[in-house]
Amino acid sequence: MILVEKIYRPGHEPITSVDQIAKFQTNDGYITPYHVLAREIGADKENCFYKNSEGKRKKVVATKDAAGTWQLKTIGSTDATTDGLLSLPRMLNNWGD
């Protein structure tokens, strides 16, 4: 099981969609690129969760669109601007932005 705890953003602009997230940090300390995590969840059906603001685990799912791009979303959220993944603590990226 993977538990996503923090997100890395690619700049100063506010994130309004999970597609804009550069990387995720998991509970075991690994930092995983967005597309790699999406492919792992989607292809392997591996359980992946994040902790919401109440500290409860919520499931993350991945699907591949017609263009072959992996899309992440959390179960129960259809609005990208209110997706629970966007509520995770934001981390700076490798360039210090």
Side-chain angles (χ1 to χ4, degrees):
M1 182 185 74
I2 299 171
L3 182 62
V4 176
E5 292 191 330
K6 298 172 184 171
I7 61 174
Y8 283 74
R9 55 185 176 76
H12 298 287
E13 296 300 316
I15 296 175
T16 57
S17 168
V18 292
D19 296 339
Q20 297 170 295
I21 295 171
K23 300 173 184 174
F24 290 102
Q25 182 172 326
T26 56
N27 59 322
D28 53 11
Y30 285 101
I31 297 173
T32 306
Y34 170 89
H35 65 280
V36 171
L37 182 65
R39 188 175 65 233
E40 286 179 355
I41 298 169
D44 301 336
K45 302 290 188 280
E46 185 171 355
N47 288 332
C48 182
F49 300 85
Y50 72 98
K51 273 187 185 173
N52 66 9
S53 57
E54 299 169 352
K56 296 182 179 177
R57 290 182 181 179
K58 304 289 275 184
K59 192 163 189 177
V60 182
V61 294
T63 56
K64 189 186 281 190
D65 63 17
T69 304
W70 287 103
Q71 304 293 326
L72 282 178
K73 69 174 188 172
T74 57
I75 288 184
S77 176
T78 55
D79 182 4
T81 60
T82 60
D83 194 290
L85 287 171
L86 300 179
S87 302
L88 290 169
R90 305 270 173 87
M91 300 295 290
L92 301 178
N93 64 24
N94 292 337
W95 299 275
D97 290 334

